[in-house]
Amino acid sequence: MILTKAQYDEIAQCLVSVPPTRQSLRKLKQRFPSQSQATLLSIFSQEYQKHIKRTHAKHHTSEAIESYYQRYLNGVAKNGAAPVLLDLANEVDYAPSLMARLILERFLQEHEETPPSKSVINSMLRDPSQIPDGVLANQVYQCIVNDCCYGPLVDCIKHAIGHEHEVMLRDMLLEKNLSFLDEDQLRAKGYDKTPDFILQVPVAVEGHIIHWIESKASFGDECSHHAYLHDQFWSYWNRDGSQSCSGWSGIPGLGDSSASASQSARIKGVGKHFLPGIFVKYVCR
Amino acid sequence: MAAVLESLLREEVSVAAVVRWIARSTQGSKDNPGEAAALSSLRPLRKEFVPFLLNFLREQSSRVLPQGPPTPAKASGASAALPGRPGGPPRGSRGARSQLFPPTEALSTAAESPVARRGGRRRVPGPARERGGRSLEEGVSVESLPGAGSRRLRGSGSPSRPSLTLSDPPNLSNLEEFPPVGSVPPGPTGRTKPSRRINPTPVSEERSLSKPKTCFTSPPISCVPSSQPSALDTRPWGLGLPPGCRSLQEEREMLRKERSKQLQQSPTPTCPTPELGSPLLNWTGGLTDELADPARVSSRQRLELVALVYSSCIAENLVPNLFLELFFVFQLLTARRMVTAKDNDFELSPGALDSLESPLFQSIHDCVFFAVQVLECHFQVLSNLDKGTLKLLAENERLLCFSPALQGRLRAAYEGSVAKVSLVMPPSAQAVSFQPETDNRANFSSDRAFHTFKKQRDVFYEVLREWEDHHEEAGWDFEKGLGSRIRAMMGQLSAACSHSHFVRLFQKQLLQMCQSPGGAGGTVLGEAPDVLSMLGADKLGRLWRLQERLVTPQSSGGPCPPPTFPGCQGFFRDFILSASSFQFNQHLMDSLSLKIRELNGLTLPQHEPSDEDGESDVDWQGERRQFAVVLLSLRLLAKFLGFVAFLPYRGPEPPPTGELQDSILALRSQVPPVLDVRTLLQRGLQARRAVLTVPWLVEFLSFADHVVPLLDYYQGIFTLLLRLHRSLVLSQENERKMCFLNKLLLLAVLGWLFQIPTVPEDLFFLEEGPSDAFEMDIVAPEHGLDSMPVVDQQLLYTCCPYIGELRKLLALWVSGSSGRSGGFVRKITPTTTTTSSLGAQPPQTSQGLQAQLAQAFFHNQPPSLRRTVEFVAERIGSNCVKHIKATLVADLVRQVESLLQEQLVTQGEEGGDPAQLLEILYSRLCPHGAQALALGREFCQRKSPGAVRALLPEETPAAVLSSAENIAVGLATEKACAWLSANITALIRREVKAAVSRTLRAQGPEPAARGERRGCSRACEHHAPLPSHLISEIKDVLSLAVGPRDSDEGVSPEHLEQLVCQLGQTLQCRQFLCPPAEQHLAKCSVELASFLVADQIPILGPPAQHRLERGQARRLLHMLLSLWKEHFQGPVPLQLLLSPRNVGLLADTRPREWDLLLFLLRELVEKGLMGRMEIEACLGSLHQAQWPRDFAEELATLSNLLLAEPHLPEPQLRACELVQSNRGTVLAQS
């Protein structure tokens, strides 16, 4: 299954300023019944992250935080059981989990003498029972459970997806009898940054020679391609490269790789182990 | 200059500031203003500081080292080049030029400066005054400028002038008066005797093996005209000098006489006579050595300071020759005794310890202390010397006594060193075989030319053989014996193309014969394997070692010998000279240039760092060897090119001066260089191949005539070389820069070049070194040859045999003191072989003969055969090592892992000291390394023949094939075994260490989890739902439960049940499950249970029934309980069930139903998932939270109820459950 750029864009179109809630996702599913929930969620998450990246600065001004906090206090004073924080987040168009973090930070600043450390906050977000204020604990929990794009649960889901796809990819390689070195083996050889798999014998996929495969459980839109390029690809290249790199071909098809690993990124004409290779962007079963 | 040193000694300025000052770096803000001011006033003198310091040290040590081999001091200084210096020729003056002084000659300043400084205050002893009259400008300047201390001392920067002082030991200069005793002068002695006192016993062979025994005071070999070429190497010092050089010689002689006269007039005979005894006696313990005692060092601080400045200068490459300085320091270290304990020259100033006025070295103790101080700063260099030198250093009792720490480090370095260096190589030389591609008829213009060439070839080898047989005989003369025959042969080479053919032959033969280190091969052509080589390789090796010792003179050429043509090279040089054929020379130059270009441009295998870390070591050795071959060939070719190219310009007459020089310069600057070495150098630097280019360039330049360094073209080269020299700071370790030994090689050859007489001495110190500018114009590629470890000690010592002087110095010390220290010199006892046993011994057992046979075999086969065999041997050898690593070593590592597990089990969790553990493992496993050799041999035996067979043509005759196979097996085995025997232990250690740390790390953080973690069952097909999917699903349910939700939202009971079932499946198939996912699943399942208990999950169904049936809830909880109990492998945060937030969910329900919670808690206890105490604690902490009053009461009841229950065995519990649930309902209703 390959999602075309047009399809992706269509879905993304529906996601403009939609809160990242269960309800939004349900509507999306009704709108695109042919897509799996995982696919939609992935696109949703990605688009929403872009949105947050653009806007999150304005929620982090001290005035904004103060006003959110006051509104939260007023809200829970009226009715502690109402979804005050969640509504606030949706109203100001911010991710509920991030809003919860904001308010929690603010709350702890007020109640603790020392400013809270990041790890304390993270731990409280993972387990709201640790939050000293019962009402806030419930509010935060509600935000986290209802946020489908941010928060510890979502992070865990993403991580799990990444891991699962790596495992699947390995199985496919084994099934196809392709000899490869995985990340652990590469690390044992002393590489610090490695793709998921380096093929010991390169293969040709859709006319392109592939030396390595990196599985990414997210869609390869242009923006994230470039981010990956920056974070990972060049790291591999720097560790291997001696020749110049040419022919970054953009996104021929947004990827999926059941049997035909579609190639969402490819580099030609570069050296040995690492290059060129592919990023397998999304895998559906 | 002295002012600088003095202000340093007075601690007015810091050492660092001084070094920065000398190095001409812009003075950093770190310098305190006082220092900066003190130094900036001395700015104009900056470049003279280093020469001053060097000379100062030489002078100071002169009382200690008169009898040792002289250390040349490239003493000079910029002042030598200053115009207007009376009597001194302008730039590059010849007079000062060759005065690389033995220390004794160089001494003047220290003694002189205090004298001068004190002026009226101090009574200048007679001779000094006399000297003032004699050595004109110095004396005058000293007397007339009493105030300008520093300026005055400038003169001391060039001790090259005839400055004579009181402290000149007489033994050195007055040879007529003190002829060496007990030595038979090989010629008319006295007149041209070198200043050295030791006359090496002339061993006829040693001449060919060693550099001639001329130190820097000797004229360069290049002065020799062609008239008597054969006299060069074989005659003792000075005798072979042509008339022109003799004039120089005479000049020097006059100086010497002058000095001795003065010494005779000296009122204080400064030197007792023991040193004047037979040199043999001297060295073998005739002298009573003074014991050096650290406690008796005078003015430690001063010595430390000077040592620090000196060391820093060395470290910053501010001195011309690193090894010369080391040699000097070693001399100090091994100084036997002071000439006189208290020189009366100095006794006037015993109090002024903080200045220069008292001698720096007042005793042997001072010398040794100073030397050890300096050596401590250069440990890195020392540790890279050859093993023999390291051993001698480590066993030096003075070092041990003065710095046990340094001694310890040296011992460690010695033990870790594999750098065994032998400069005597088995001779291997054969005639150049007929080269079908170039030597066939088609390449000649006519039949006649072809046949002439054939004849010439025969003549050439005849001449060579004759030289072989006779050149060592006394009285045999090359020119007389062979000259006419050679010229007749050259005369026949009429056609130009014949010349080129002959030159090719000549060059090939040159490379073949002289490539072995030093070109020292004794035997050349057609010599039947003699008695010696039948002894077998082992004994042969011993014999070679013995021969090396017997034949290598105790001290050959000093640390800076002039360029020479040792061994076979002499033949080729003499051939060129005797032939004196312009055509031949031109063709030779063309051919040499071409070959140099070719070799210099050779792409040497680019090492891939970190590719296969340890495994490529084997390949590396091959590459290093290849590099060595290329480098040595280049050096040889460049040497001959330099010799031939500059031959026409070297004459007997002294170097021209004045206008004559200018006109010669103008003329010579028109002549294009024979080879564009400047461009090659620039390219070499840019491509970071200096380690290849510079050594041969140095050889080339070493034959330059006096005018060459003055030409713009070559000046540019020298500037580049100087900058390179300055930039090679050894302590700067930079992985992208040059390897240490590469740097050391370059420093050694450059240092040597800077000491060559034809190189103007002021060149080095005059150069303002903008070393950073130098750095910039190198556009460095990622991996140049420079950054690869291509140089090893063997190559270093082969290229720079003079480094071996250090070892000789130490060995001399040991041999001198062997009686006392127990004798470190091990005796080689060669096995004698009777003639009968020799006859009985079949020669084929001899490896030496075998090797010769192999050589002969290849000689007669096409070159591709040899390449193939060598290639196969190389690859198989390398593969063998990899194979051993993958099998034997990997097995051992597995053993380690299981051993370690055992250890950990027996020793419990804490294990024990890992280092100790490691040692135990090493000791158990390393012995297994011995198997590697047998396995390796077997592997090579098995693999090589097939490979050779596959690669050689089908038609290869069977005999040839089997020989080739055998040779390949032998070579591969040799290669593999050499590597394995050297490295297998280290390899095992490394791998074991890695395995242990891996195992320990794995044990570390979560031993329980690791130990218990299970995979899927064998039958599992991995169809369970993905963890990510499940988390996502449960999250949806939770969010529904928490709300907010629409009225039509909810889950069906079936869906819930399915979800829990799926969770079970996922937990059982662990294919896709990673620990974080499992953690979250655990947490979500607990949350889910809480919502079930509180009945908060909205259920889809008929409107009336929005709640889960009690029974269904129980069933779900049961399922969850068994999942927690059975299938989760990580911890499940069950205490969350009793967190205020989750219990608080109950508070909102009306009517409150406690029975599910009670049920859950009981089950938890019963299944052993939670302890009673734990529950108690959780419930206790619940009370602290704020609850509605009635809720708090109910909670208290619940906990009482739970805690009041007796701990009953299982069957009763079941019964109990019913009762309890009833009671629960009652409770709920109350």
Side-chain angles (χ1 to χ4, degrees):
Chain A
M1 181 207 80
I2 293 175
L3 198 64
T4 64
K5 177 116 175 77
Q7 280 174 304
Y8 183 95
D9 287 344
E10 192 190 354
I11 298 171
Q13 203 60 46
C14 300
L15 290 167
V16 178
S17 65
V18 166
T21 56
R22 192 178 70 250
Q23 289 86 348
S24 309
L25 194 61
R26 199 177 59 207
K27 280 181 207 146
L28 201 62
K29 243 191 289 187
Q30 285 160 1
R31 172 86 204 274
F32 299 98
S34 61
Q35 304 295 349
S36 73
Q37 167 158 344
T39 306
L40 292 174
L41 185 61
S42 169
I43 298 174
F44 190 4
S45 179
Q46 207 160 305
E47 289 299 308
Y48 190 72
Q49 277 177 26
K50 275 196 272 180
H51 168 70
I52 289 296
K53 263 180 212 149
R54 280 197 301 272
T55 58
H56 102 131
K58 76 172 183 195
H59 302 290
H60 275 257
T61 60
S62 53
E63 298 84 38
I65 294 174
E66 208 49 43
S67 99
Y68 296 158
Y69 189 55
Q70 286 309 322
R71 288 178 63 178
Y72 159 75
L73 288 180
N74 294 339
V76 292
K78 262 184 242 159
N79 179 6
V84 179
L85 208 48
L86 186 62
D87 287 346
L88 175 65
N90 289 339
E91 192 188 320
V92 301
D93 195 13
Y94 195 44
S97 296
L98 299 180
M99 179 61 84
R101 173 185 285 270
L102 219 57
I103 298 299
L104 178 61
E105 254 172 31
R106 179 66 186 78
F107 172 84
L108 290 174
Q109 264 169 27
E110 195 171 275
H111 289 80
E112 317 263 311
E113 273 148 31
T114 53
S117 74
K118 211 163 180 171
S119 65
V120 168
I121 302 237
N122 283 338
S123 150
M124 286 185 174
L125 286 173
R126 269 198 301 274
D127 177 14
S129 308
Q130 294 170 11
I131 298 173
D133 181 277
V135 177
L136 181 57
N138 286 333
Q139 295 283 343
V140 167
Y141 187 70
Q142 190 171 41
C143 284
I144 287 167
V145 173
N146 276 292
D147 192 333
C148 65
C149 292
Y150 280 97
L153 269 173
V154 178
D155 288 346
C156 175
I157 294 171
K158 287 181 182 167
H159 180 268
I161 292 176
H163 177 77
E164 288 153 15
H165 289 167
E166 210 177 303
V167 174
M168 287 178 211
L169 191 52
R170 173 196 305 273
D171 287 350
M172 279 179 223
L173 290 173
L174 286 172
E175 196 182 309
K176 301 271 171 210
N177 240 340
L178 295 175
S179 171
F180 60 87
L181 294 172
D182 67 15
E183 230 168 328
D184 290 340
Q185 288 165 308
L186 290 171
R187 259 184 241 293
K189 282 189 165 243
Y191 289 105
D192 50 352
K193 280 212 157 191
T194 66
D196 288 340
F197 301 100
I198 284 179
L199 301 180
Q200 285 182 321
V201 180
V203 294
V205 176
E206 295 174 4
H208 301 286
I209 291 175
I210 303 299
H211 289 242
W212 51 260
I213 302 173
E214 168 79 18
S215 152
K216 280 291 153 218
S218 61
F219 273 100
D221 66 309
E222 268 153 307
C223 169
S224 61
H225 257 331
H226 285 148
Y228 283 132
L229 240 197
H230 192 263
D231 293 346
Q232 296 199 317
F233 172 75
W234 292 118
S235 311
Y236 310 152
W237 194 84
N238 294 340
R239 273 152 193 78
D240 178 62
S242 46
Q243 301 162 45
S244 66
C245 155
S246 65
W248 176 256
S249 71
I251 337 166
L254 287 165
D256 156 72
S257 81
S258 320
S260 70
S262 118
Q263 193 182 350
S264 46
R266 58 172 190 269
I267 313 300
K268 278 184 238 162
V270 195
K272 305 184 6 179
H273 297 318
F274 285 160
L275 295 174
I278 54 171
F279 288 105
V280 176
K281 284 301 180 174
Y282 196 77
V283 185
C284 294
R285 293 229 299 177
Chain B
M1 287 304 95
V4 178
L5 208 52
E6 285 203 33
S7 53
L8 190 75
L9 292 179
R10 288 197 299 268
E11 296 186 352
E12 281 166 11
V13 289
S14 71
V15 174
V18 169
V19 174
R20 276 199 298 279
W21 175 73
I22 307 162
R24 290 145 196 156
S25 55
T26 44
Q27 304 209 341
S29 51
K30 280 176 281 177
D31 298 357
N32 78 44
E35 287 179 346
L39 291 173
S40 65
S41 66
L42 299 167
R43 172 159 274 197
L45 305 171
R46 211 161 45 176
K47 63 184 66 151
E48 292 169 35
F49 180 80
V50 175
F52 166 76
L53 178 67
L54 298 188
N55 285 320
F56 171 71
L57 289 171
R58 301 287 195 278
E59 287 148 15
Q60 292 289 320
S61 62
S62 60
R63 293 188 312 146
V64 194
L65 306 171
Q67 79 277 42
T71 310
K74 178 89 170 187
S76 91
S79 59
L82 290 179
R85 181 179 154 249
R91 313 190 282 159
S93 62
R94 219 71 328 260
R97 193 34 304 186
S98 48
Q99 305 274 1
L100 282 158
F101 275 10
T104 42
E105 279 183 302
L107 107 131
S108 68
T109 3
E112 161 193 33
S113 56
V115 171
R117 177 151 319 167
R118 304 216 160 186
R121 265 196 298 137
R122 187 176 156 189
R123 259 201 64 187
V124 181
R129 207 178 287 151
E130 207 172 313
R131 170 181 47 79
R134 269 171 214 259
S135 61
L136 300 162
E137 81 279 17
E138 191 160 59
V140 169
S141 70
V142 163
E143 305 291 0
S144 61
L145 294 166
S150 54
R151 192 154 292 277
R152 212 177 336 110
L153 280 164
R154 223 159 178 237
S156 63
S158 79
S160 49
R161 59 194 82 185
S163 55
L164 305 165
T165 62
L166 315 176
S167 46
D168 271 356
N171 63 325
L172 287 165
S173 30
N174 193 338
L175 293 159
E176 279 134 335
E177 195 147 315
F178 301 112
V181 180
S183 63
V184 183
T189 36
R191 212 173 70 78
T192 51
K193 214 78 196 79
S195 53
R196 137 214 333 277
R197 306 301 336 292
I198 297 104
N199 280 331
T201 324
V203 178
S204 64
E205 208 161 9
E206 97 186 60
R207 295 296 183 181
S208 61
L209 287 166
S210 62
K211 305 267 180 186
K213 324 216 165 342
T214 43
C215 195
F216 248 19
T217 36
S218 69
I221 216 84
S222 50
C223 287
V224 182
S226 52
S227 62
Q228 271 216 327
S230 60
L232 273 179
D233 279 358
T234 45
R235 296 211 178 173
W237 194 88
L239 281 185
L241 292 183
C245 287
R246 207 157 274 157
S247 66
L248 239 185
Q249 202 52 42
E250 276 160 12
E251 197 179 291
R252 209 173 285 135
E253 202 49 44
M254 276 168 59
L255 289 179
R256 214 168 271 140
K257 281 186 183 147
E258 191 75 11
R259 191 170 5 196
S260 52
K261 263 188 227 158
Q262 288 176 355
L263 283 169
Q264 281 151 16
Q265 288 158 7
S266 162
T268 50
T270 46
C271 192
T273 41
E275 294 82 20
L276 308 175
S278 147
L280 256 171
L281 254 179
N282 271 359
W283 294 122
T284 50
L287 262 179
T288 47
D289 301 333
E290 255 185 84
L291 279 172
D293 180 2
R296 288 170 62 195
V297 173
S298 57
S299 64
R300 244 165 210 277
Q301 200 189 5
R302 202 166 62 129
L303 286 167
E304 272 170 9
L305 269 174
V306 178
L308 198 54
V309 176
Y310 182 53
S311 300
S312 311
C313 287
I314 296 176
E316 293 284 326
N317 291 333
L318 295 169
V319 299
N321 189 331
L322 165 70
F323 286 101
L324 188 55
E325 300 312 317
L326 278 183
F327 185 78
F328 171 66
V329 174
F330 276 33
Q331 279 187 313
L332 286 180
L333 178 69
T334 59
R336 302 265 154 182
R337 64 200 305 246
M338 217 64 172
V339 171
T340 42
K342 277 282 172 193
D343 196 313
N344 52 8
D345 185 32
F346 297 114
E347 70 196 6
L348 288 173
S349 54
L353 283 179
D354 58 338
S355 73
L356 294 181
E357 303 193 4
S358 61
L360 186 62
F361 304 121
Q362 306 202 355
S363 60
I364 283 290
H365 323 295
D366 290 2
C367 290
V368 177
F369 179 75
F370 178 82
V372 172
Q373 288 288 313
V374 177
L375 290 180
E376 274 182 340
C377 298
H378 298 283
F379 170 75
Q380 207 188 1
V381 177
L382 298 181
S383 66
N384 277 288
L385 294 175
D386 73 315
K387 194 163 182 159
T389 313
L390 276 175
K391 181 178 160 66
L392 287 167
L393 264 181
E395 285 172 349
N396 187 299
E397 69 272 29
R398 279 186 168 171
L399 246 169
L400 174 64
C401 175
F402 276 74
S403 173
L406 178 62
Q407 195 266 351
R409 288 162 79 197
L410 284 167
R411 177 158 292 279
Y414 161 69
E415 277 155 9
S417 170
V418 287
K420 279 199 177 167
V421 167
S422 167
L423 292 185
V424 177
M425 295 298 259
S428 68
Q430 288 164 315
V432 174
S433 64
F434 183 81
Q435 309 282 308
E437 63 272 29
T438 49
D439 292 352
N440 66 17
R441 166 67 186 85
N443 288 307
F444 289 85
S445 55
S446 64
D447 275 337
R448 197 168 146 259
F450 180 56
H451 289 295
T452 315
F453 178 68
K454 278 204 303 193
K455 264 184 241 153
Q456 270 150 359
R457 192 187 170 95
D458 294 336
V459 175
F460 177 65
Y461 282 115
E462 198 185 303
V463 168
L464 182 51
R465 257 189 300 270
E466 195 164 329
W467 175 82
E468 260 303 301
D469 293 344
H470 296 294
H471 76 280
E472 285 168 356
E473 288 170 13
W476 187 81
D477 185 276
F478 190 95
E479 173 58 29
K480 267 187 222 148
L482 303 170
S484 56
R485 236 185 304 169
I486 292 173
R487 275 188 293 277
M489 180 186 100
M490 297 312 285
Q492 288 174 337
L493 289 171
S494 50
C497 97
S498 314
H499 269 293
S500 72
H501 278 287
F502 180 72
V503 160
R504 191 169 49 237
L505 176 69
F506 184 85
Q507 185 178 307
K508 277 208 163 121
Q509 189 66 44
L510 172 69
L511 278 178
Q512 217 166 66
M513 277 173 74
C514 305
Q515 228 172 23
S516 67
T523 57
V524 190
L525 285 174
E527 240 174 68
D530 58 3
V531 178
L532 291 184
S533 54
M534 291 192 182
L535 291 170
D538 190 38
K539 290 170 188 166
L540 206 56
R542 272 201 207 167
L543 259 168
W544 273 322
R545 278 208 322 275
L546 182 61
Q547 189 193 15
E548 187 178 5
R549 255 188 220 173
L550 287 174
V551 142
T552 313
Q554 294 258 291
S555 177
S556 55
C560 291
T564 48
F565 293 93
C568 307
Q569 295 178 18
F571 169 80
F572 293 92
R573 180 209 49 202
D574 292 346
F575 187 96
I576 294 168
L577 290 173
S578 282
S580 59
S581 156
F582 170 74
Q583 293 98 319
F584 173 64
N585 288 359
Q586 188 59 47
H587 280 277
L588 186 59
M589 283 193 289
D590 295 347
S591 174
L592 290 169
S593 302
L594 182 73
K595 188 77 182 165
I596 288 174
R597 277 179 175 283
E598 180 193 319
L599 286 177
N600 188 54
L602 205 66
T603 4
L604 288 164
Q606 299 274 306
H607 179 53
E608 309 262 343
S610 83
D611 194 22
E612 308 168 83
D613 45 347
E615 294 175 22
S616 53
D617 287 3
V618 191
D619 305 343
W620 234 150
Q621 281 175 357
E623 279 167 22
R624 209 179 271 152
R625 207 165 41 229
Q626 195 199 351
F627 174 80
V629 169
V630 171
L631 181 71
L632 292 175
S633 305
L634 272 170
R635 279 169 58 90
L636 185 67
L637 296 169
K639 184 188 215 175
F640 273 89
L641 181 63
F643 175 67
V644 180
F646 297 117
L647 192 59
Y649 304 107
R650 278 187 313 240
E653 67 278 350
T657 53
E659 278 179 30
L660 184 57
Q661 191 189 43
D662 291 344
S663 66
I664 289 177
L665 275 178
L667 190 66
R668 287 282 296 279
S669 55
Q670 301 299 313
V671 183
V674 55
L675 173 67
D676 189 2
V677 282
R678 190 171 63 185
T679 311
L680 289 177
L681 173 63
Q682 281 163 347
R683 275 198 216 131
L685 291 175
Q686 268 161 16
R688 294 170 43 72
R689 286 162 68 91
V691 72
L692 183 67
T693 305
V694 171
W696 70 254
L697 181 63
V698 164
E699 287 287 297
F700 175 78
L701 291 175
S702 71
F703 280 93
D705 59 284
H706 299 302
V707 178
V708 166
L710 307 179
L711 297 170
D712 283 347
Y713 178 84
Y714 288 99
Q715 255 175 359
I717 293 178
F718 277 106
T719 309
L720 274 177
L721 290 180
L722 282 165
R723 289 185 189 167
L724 175 68
H725 183 264
R726 279 290 296 279
S727 73
L728 295 170
V729 177
L730 287 168
S731 54
Q732 283 174 2
E733 285 277 26
N734 185 339
E735 56 187 80
R736 290 213 26 217
K737 293 262 176 72
M738 211 175 281
C739 293
F740 190 86
L741 278 168
N742 297 7
K743 276 190 199 170
L744 214 53
L745 173 67
L746 291 188
L747 281 179
V749 295
L750 286 173
W752 177 74
L753 178 69
F754 297 146
Q755 301 284 3
I756 298 277
T758 40
V759 179
E761 60 197 358
D762 49 331
L763 194 86
F764 184 84
F765 294 112
L766 265 185
E767 171 64 25
E768 291 279 335
S771 53
D772 20 285
F774 173 74
E775 289 296 322
M776 280 202 302
D777 55 15
I778 288 182
V779 210
E782 195 86 4
H783 303 296
L785 259 183
D786 286 349
S787 53
M788 296 174 208
V790 282
V791 176
D792 57 7
Q793 276 87 354
Q794 178 70 44
L795 184 60
L796 178 68
Y797 277 71
T798 306
C799 290
C800 315
Y802 32 88
I803 302 178
E805 292 295 309
L806 297 177
R807 179 178 175 173
K808 285 174 192 155
L809 210 53
L810 292 169
L812 271 182
W813 163 252
V814 172
S815 65
S817 52
S818 59
R820 193 176 60 231
S821 51
F824 289 118
V825 176
R826 225 168 271 134
K827 290 198 174 68
I828 299 173
T829 331
T831 333
T832 51
T833 314
T834 60
T835 348
S836 60
S837 76
L838 186 69
Q841 206 172 17
Q844 52 265 37
T845 57
S846 138
Q847 288 179 31
L849 185 59
Q850 204 63 46
Q852 282 181 359
L853 273 173
Q855 293 295 322
F857 170 72
F858 285 130
H859 194 66
N860 297 327
Q861 299 292 335
S864 66
L865 179 92
R866 186 191 194 121
R867 282 203 298 273
T868 306
V869 168
E870 282 173 353
F871 174 73
V872 167
E874 138 109 30
R875 291 324 310 157
I876 299 285
S878 173
N879 292 348
C880 171
V881 170
K882 288 176 191 165
H883 179 71
I884 299 278
K885 201 176 161 188
T887 53
L888 178 72
V889 178
D891 280 347
L892 289 178
V893 167
R894 268 192 291 279
Q895 280 182 40
V896 166
E897 278 163 350
S898 59
L899 273 174
L900 201 62
Q901 292 293 351
E902 274 172 39
Q903 289 271 345
L904 287 174
V905 168
T906 52
Q907 298 194 355
E909 286 303 311
E910 68 275 19
D913 181 22
Q916 205 185 346
L917 199 64
L918 218 53
E919 280 308 318
I920 296 171
L921 291 170
Y922 289 156
S923 60
R924 282 174 73 169
L925 292 175
C926 284
H928 293 285
Q931 296 169 20
L933 289 184
L935 287 172
R937 225 170 266 131
E938 193 268 334
F939 181 91
C940 295
Q941 186 77 46
R942 184 156 43 88
K943 295 282 183 185
S944 307
V948 172
R949 225 171 297 139
L951 290 175
L952 288 183
E954 286 282 311
E955 291 70 28
T956 311
V960 173
L961 188 63
S962 86
S963 299
E965 286 172 8
N966 289 339
I967 295 172
V969 169
L971 288 178
T973 311
E974 192 185 317
K975 187 178 162 72
C977 289
W979 192 90
L980 286 172
S981 57
N983 297 308
I984 188 74
T985 314
L987 180 67
I988 292 177
R989 286 178 84 99
R990 193 176 66 197
E991 293 291 315
V992 166
K993 193 171 175 195
V996 166
S997 66
R998 210 163 43 227
T999 317
L1000 288 179
R1001 218 179 19 244
Q1003 290 283 331
E1006 33 174 344
R1010 288 247 162 210
E1012 289 172 21
R1013 208 158 263 288
R1014 301 178 299 253
C1016 324
S1017 65
R1018 199 167 281 265
C1020 179
E1021 291 185 15
H1022 313 311
H1023 288 318
L1026 291 175
S1028 61
H1029 171 76
L1030 265 175
I1031 301 174
S1032 176
E1033 291 282 306
I1034 298 178
K1035 175 173 168 280
D1036 270 359
V1037 174
L1038 295 179
S1039 73
L1040 269 176
V1042 173
R1045 55 178 175 260
D1046 300 341
S1047 56
D1048 59 339
E1049 282 186 305
V1051 279
S1052 65
E1054 295 74 37
H1055 180 68
L1056 273 180
E1057 209 154 309
Q1058 190 197 358
L1059 210 54
V1060 179
C1061 279
Q1062 285 183 340
L1063 181 58
Q1065 290 164 12
T1066 299
L1067 288 171
Q1068 285 170 62
C1069 164
R1070 308 199 72 87
Q1071 170 87 336
F1072 297 104
L1073 199 59
C1074 57
E1078 191 178 350
Q1079 270 169 31
H1080 270 93
L1081 281 174
K1083 214 167 98 191
C1084 289
S1085 66
V1086 172
E1087 302 278 358
L1088 188 65
S1090 288
F1091 283 110
L1092 282 172
V1093 165
D1095 196 17
Q1096 294 270 339
I1097 298 175
I1099 297 296
L1100 286 175
Q1105 193 200 345
H1106 270 278
R1107 299 174 60 189
L1108 209 54
E1109 255 178 68
R1110 194 97 328 179
Q1112 270 176 332
R1114 274 186 189 230
R1115 197 162 59 242
L1116 285 171
L1117 285 177
H1118 245 302
M1119 286 164 76
L1120 284 173
L1121 277 163
S1122 75
L1123 288 183
W1124 294 333
K1125 171 81 182 163
E1126 314 274 336
H1127 297 305
F1128 275 103
Q1129 293 184 3
V1132 181
L1134 291 166
Q1135 66 286 352
L1136 279 182
L1137 289 169
L1138 290 172
S1139 73
R1141 188 172 57 79
N1142 282 331
V1143 174
L1145 294 171
L1146 275 171
D1148 302 335
T1149 51
R1150 295 276 164 204
R1152 294 197 186 104
E1153 308 227 358
W1154 292 93
D1155 58 335
L1156 282 175
L1157 182 59
L1158 203 56
F1159 161 75
L1160 188 61
L1161 292 178
R1162 286 204 185 108
E1163 284 296 309
L1164 284 174
V1165 173
E1166 190 186 331
K1167 288 200 184 323
L1169 285 164
M1170 270 180 109
R1172 216 169 259 276
M1173 304 288 280
E1174 206 181 338
I1175 292 177
E1176 205 175 321
C1178 289
L1179 286 173
S1181 62
L1182 273 180
H1183 293 305
Q1184 292 161 8
Q1186 290 188 332
W1187 304 110
R1189 183 129 55 80
D1190 55 337
F1191 184 78
E1193 280 167 10
E1194 286 176 24
L1195 196 63
T1197 319
L1198 174 91
S1199 60
N1200 288 337
L1201 204 61
L1202 192 74
L1203 299 177
E1205 272 169 22
H1207 192 99
L1208 295 172
E1210 203 166 346
Q1212 280 148 324
L1213 246 173
R1214 284 198 185 285
C1216 195
E1217 187 189 336
L1218 293 170
V1219 181
Q1220 296 302 346
S1221 71
N1222 282 341
R1223 215 183 277 168
T1225 333
V1226 174
L1227 183 80
Q1229 282 159 358
S1230 69

